[in-house]
Amino acid sequence: MKQLLPLAIVATLLAAGPARAAGPTAPAADDVAAAVLACHAQYAGKYAKSTQASATEIAEGAFAGCRHEMDAYEAAALERAKTRTAVEVGIAGPEDFQRDDVDRFRDDVRSYTVDAVLKARALF
């Protein structure tokens, strides 16, 4: 699982497509995703040893604790979705692509956080 999770995260980022350059203040997709993962790792490290909550409960709590970072990812996902060819030809709307991207990323982040909790508890 240690080796597959980073590959899954990279695959999700690659499947999401390239970040669209919207200007100097728009963060790159990799930066936004990295911020979400960093927040979840910090949250996992903080609560893994200080609570009896299960790893999945901590992972769910991390989504609330890292809401700002996840909002930024969702906004970036919508911007990436607007550049998809299918949107341009009218097959699907950008919201459909955004929803798929965010759902896949949430699954990966949840797994990443559970893994971070388990690692932190193993080192305790």
Side-chain angles (χ1 to χ4, degrees):
M1 182 167 162
K2 289 181 187 178
Q3 295 172 349
L4 294 178
L5 188 57
L7 293 176
I9 293 169
V10 170
T12 299
L13 292 174
L14 291 176
R20 189 170 112 183
T25 60
D30 292 346
D31 294 341
V32 177
V36 173
L37 294 176
C39 183
H40 276 253
Q42 182 179 15
Y43 190 95
K46 180 178 180 180
Y47 291 103
K49 299 173 189 172
S50 65
T51 183
Q52 294 298 318
S54 71
T56 54
E57 290 170 330
I58 293 172
E60 289 304 314
F63 279 106
C66 300
R67 185 73 231 158
H68 176 71
E69 290 81 357
M70 195 63 196
D71 287 345
Y73 182 86
E74 290 177 14
L78 182 58
E79 289 303 311
R80 283 191 310 275
K82 289 178 182 178
T83 65
R84 300 289 298 256
T85 304
V87 173
E88 293 171 7
V89 297
I91 295 172
E95 294 81 12
D96 297 325
F97 285 114
Q98 177 203 26
R99 188 175 27 255
D100 291 342
D101 179 12
V102 170
D103 288 346
R104 281 193 311 269
F105 187 65
R106 280 183 165 277
D107 290 342
D108 290 343
V109 171
R110 186 174 290 107
S111 297
Y112 173 84
T113 308
V114 167
D115 189 49
V117 170
L118 297 176
K119 284 179 184 176
R121 286 183 174 166
L123 296 174
F124 182 57

